[in-house]
Amino acid sequence: MRLSRREFLQLAVGMGASLAWGGAARASISRWHERRDLFPEGVASGDPDSRSVILWTRRPFGSGGRRVLTVEVAEDDAFRRVVAKASAPVSAESDWTTRVLVGHLKPARVYWYRFTDGEGNGSRVGRTITAPLAKDTRPVSFAFVSCQSVNEGKLNGYRRMIFEDERAAPADQLGFVLHLGDFIYEVVGYPDEMPTRYDRTIYEVCRIPDGGQTGKFHYPLTLDGYRVVYKGYLGDPDLQDARARWPFVAIWDNHEFSWQGRQSIVQAGGPPQPGQTVKVAANQAWFEYIPARVKVPSGSLDTFGVLAVNNVPIEKWDDDGLGIEPNNLKAINSLIVYRTFRYGRNLDLILTDQRSFSGPDATDVEGVEKIYDPAFNGMFSEPAMIALDAGRAFGGGKPPAELSFGDVRIPNPRKDAPPRTILGAVQKKWFMDQLRRSKATWKIWGNSLGAIDMRADPQNLPDGLTKQKWPADTFAQIGSWDFGSAYHERGEIYDLVRDSKITGFAIVSGDRHSFWAGYAAPLLPPAKYEPVGLSFVGSSLISVGAMESFEHNLPKNHPLRALFLADRPEGKPDWTYNMLLKHGVRSCLEYAKTFDLKRAHAVSNPQLSPHLEFVDAGGHGYATVRLTGDEMRTEFVCIPRPITRSDRPDGGPLRYRVVHTASLWKPGERPLLRQRVTEGDPGLSI
């Protein structure tokens, strides 16, 4: 939709935004001279549509009230064709950050921008890109990333992404970067207290004022605390370069607020605590440092606004696990980030918030520990998990009275409880309505939590390997925190896709610190296997993954070590955990004995993972997506463990590059992924 200047002004007023309006091109007459030291967090742009984009910077001043910068937007990087110029206010109230909505731009166009203060001191130059018009059939390309803990690594992945994009043909360059959360990690280690973790160096990020502590990690409890973490992260040169090159579209995950928290509950290694003031502080800092079209208490993009809440225990919950304590409701609704974007004919991007409205983990109920055996290293009965997740909705309203594991039986603690929700009732209805209404070729669900089942088959373990035998014909599920085990809610969404005959449905997600490619399916064999779309998980840019943890924490004499690591006489162990998830127990044991991949694949369990084409629980890097009218192409770009910053302009070598391609399927058909390794060796991931 093309907006008139009056309509755009009304939009800008409604958003409370500083406005820059595009017009005829003129040469810049500003006194700009670059002073990056005075703009220490760089520049950024976010949430572009076909006519507008939000621009951001931070220019701190030592004292005083409101100051005013000037922003210029040009069609060229020399600013000889400036099409928009406007005032950009900054003040201590917003930690000297500013957000400017620039309108009347041309669709699918590259622009350059810069900020200047009253003395001519200028920011670095940024580059941004508008979206194509809704009917534009051109291909759409973007990258998706997550989990960038600069406290314990370096962002070589961004350098590789920038290096390749600068050398790509214009039609093949990325249009935006989708950040799927953990932009910061609120838990921060101090190098003088913990110089290393595993084989990683702990790098200085910040010192958190008035915070909490769990072990040797510190975490914020105030607005000032969150602000210093963002500033510490944005001191990273590669993150600054990435934000200066592309518009970012961002959603948060847990670490933007609290490691184990949900709603306004703070939890970091200990018992949960009421944290309504902490949630509001986290939301305000995210708003100040991430340019996005979101809803805040002020109704403005200039400032977050003032919201008074108290830290009060949540004692009453509605049927969806939402705490109805008034301070909790005010805190979690102080920043609404779920939203949609249209990029031409080929993409509707639908973003959801997985943390602010989430009910409790279905396994966090008394008694469940009795049917969990830690000897199986994180594996949990899949039938028990499905029953716990569904609660009273299991089996069409006929939940089992008991749950069991081997000879142990317990009363079903969730027999009368509502099914678990991650999205919450209001957001879920909104999300399903967006899916139903979408007319784009591809409907991409941008989701911070992985949605592919993490499954194993310990029923195939030989006798005697563990003290207790795993129940016969019972698969195991690994992990309970994401959509991989949210069977009921995930099933509601997938049933809508199937029943409404929606094609081109795909999920891109993060958080798992690993690469996954496969299918969106409600259930797996022996239940009916009915995939309705595609599902991908991108690995962490930096953060520690499962394989690194196993390498350092899994004892050499653990009876199930071969399912996770195969120890060679020389060198590092092979990552059989990938094989466990894709092929099963028998393949892992055969490989650990012979290191013969062909023999290991010959005993693969065909019932285990029809939903899974690729998994690398030790990967780092990023993924790119290219969408056309008839194809989705997803590429995993995997880098070595990013412990130190590469001195190469390309960010260093690659471990591998794997491409997953799917043609658009017709209603009633199953999607089909085709896989090709184009560079390097993905090891046991296939």
Side-chain angles (χ1 to χ4, degrees), residues 546-556 561-578 591-592 595 616 618 641 655 683-684:
M547 295 320 308
E548 192 168 354
S549 177
F550 289 145
E551 286 174 3
H552 288 86
N553 295 327
L554 192 63
K556 289 267 189 178
R561 183 175 171 88
L563 305 186
F564 302 89
L565 296 164
D567 293 304
R568 290 181 175 273
E570 74 294 331
K572 287 190 173 183
D574 287 350
W575 295 343
T576 45
Y577 183 44
N578 295 334
Y591 185 82
F595 294 99
D616 180 8
R641 196 170 289 166
R655 271 189 57 215
L684 304 182

Side-chain angles (χ1 to χ4, degrees), residues 77 112 134 152 201 239-240 269 285 332 338 356 429 479 525 574 623 637:
D77 58 2
W112 283 263
E152 53 189 8
T201 298
L239 178 54
Q240 281 202 23
I332 63 179
Y338 56 86
S356 297
K429 181 182 183 303
D574 287 350
V637 182

Side-chain angles (χ1 to χ4, degrees), residues 291-596:
R293 298 175 194 255
V294 291
K295 299 176 184 177
V296 295
S298 70
S300 164
L301 286 181
D302 284 340
T303 59
F304 181 80
V306 177
L307 184 68
V309 294
N310 296 307
N311 293 329
V312 179
I314 303 171
E315 297 174 345
K316 293 183 179 180
W317 310 84
D318 72 8
D319 223 22
D320 294 294
L322 181 67
I324 57 175
E325 192 281 319
N327 292 274
N328 180 58
L329 295 177
K330 287 168 67 177
I332 63 179
N333 286 293
S334 65
L335 183 55
I336 299 298
V337 299
Y338 56 86
R339 57 204 195 278
T340 62
F341 296 91
R342 182 67 180 264
Y343 284 82
R345 183 182 293 275
N346 290 320
L347 172 61
D348 263 336
L349 176 63
I350 310 172
L351 304 182
T352 55
D353 175 353
Q354 283 64 241
R355 301 292 182 175
S356 297
F357 311 102
S358 177
D361 186 320
T363 62
D364 283 348
V365 287
E366 189 174 349
V368 170
E369 70 280 357
K370 296 175 183 176
I371 57 170
Y372 169 72
D373 187 344
F376 290 98
N377 203 36
M379 300 184 207
F380 186 82
S381 165
E382 184 182 67
M385 178 62 76
I386 292 172
L388 287 166
D389 175 74
R392 65 184 180 223
F394 180 88
K398 298 178 180 178
E402 293 183 323
L403 302 178
S404 65
F405 182 78
D407 297 330
V408 180
R409 307 185 74 82
I410 64 169
N412 181 356
R414 285 185 44 82
K415 180 173 68 71
D416 300 315
R420 180 193 184 193
T421 177
I422 291 176
L423 296 177
V426 172
Q427 182 181 207
K428 179 163 57 181
K429 181 182 183 303
W430 171 88
F431 172 64
M432 294 173 77
D433 286 346
Q434 301 304 311
L435 269 181
R436 221 181 260 111
R437 292 202 297 260
S438 175
K439 302 299 181 184
T441 308
W442 298 94
K443 300 89 179 167
I444 307 294
W445 179 12
N447 173 357
S448 66
L449 298 178
I452 302 179
D453 295 65
M454 302 171 67
R455 198 187 203 207
D457 60 348
Q459 67 268 34
N460 290 327
L461 285 167
D463 291 343
L465 200 57
T466 55
K467 184 177 180 180
Q468 179 178 202
K469 185 168 177 58
W470 189 273
D473 302 322
T474 301
F475 285 96
Q477 178 270 353
I478 302 171
S480 59
W481 67 90
D482 67 9
F483 275 102
S485 61
Y487 304 98
H488 183 85
E489 184 163 72
R490 190 181 68 180
E492 291 180 278
I493 295 164
Y494 295 173
D495 286 351
L496 168 69
V497 173
R498 180 199 63 211
D499 296 343
S500 300
K501 296 181 170 52
I502 295 171
T503 64
F505 172 67
I507 307 167
V508 296
S509 49
D511 186 63
R512 289 188 181 179
H513 304 181
S514 47
F515 285 116
W516 300 67
Y519 303 99
L523 295 170
L524 300 178
K528 185 178 182 181
Y529 175 61
E530 192 175 31
V532 299
L534 307 172
S535 192
F536 302 95
V537 183
S539 194
S540 66
L541 280 162
I542 294 176
S543 307
V544 170
M547 295 320 308
E548 192 168 354
S549 177
F550 289 145
E551 286 174 3
H552 288 86
N553 295 327
L554 192 63
K556 289 267 189 178
N557 61 354
H558 193 289
L560 300 185
R561 183 175 171 88
L563 305 186
F564 302 89
L565 296 164
D567 293 304
R568 290 181 175 273
E570 74 294 331
K572 287 190 173 183
D574 287 350
W575 295 343
T576 45
Y577 183 44
N578 295 334
M579 183 174 278
L580 173 68
L581 297 164
K582 179 75 176 73
H583 295 283
V585 161
R586 289 171 177 151
S587 292
C588 291
L589 296 177
E590 178 62 38
Y591 185 82
K593 182 172 64 177
T594 65
F595 294 99
D596 187 322

Side-chain angles (χ1 to χ4, degrees), residues 9 52 59 161 193 287-288 308 313 395 430 461 545 556 579 584 667:
L9 279 167
S52 64
R59 167 62 169 99
M161 196 190 304
E193 295 178 353
F287 165 80
E288 289 172 347
W430 171 88
L461 285 167
K556 289 267 189 178
M579 183 174 278

Side-chain angles (χ1 to χ4, degrees), residues 24 26 61 102 122 166 217 266 271 343 353 373 430 499 539 552 576 582 587 615 626 629 632 649 657 673:
R26 298 180 177 88
F61 290 87
V102 186
E166 287 176 339
F217 285 99
V266 171
Y343 284 82
D353 175 353
D373 187 344
W430 171 88
D499 296 343
S539 194
H552 288 86
T576 45
K582 179 75 176 73
S587 292
V615 56
R626 181 176 172 83
M632 178 175 184
R657 193 189 301 267
L673 278 172

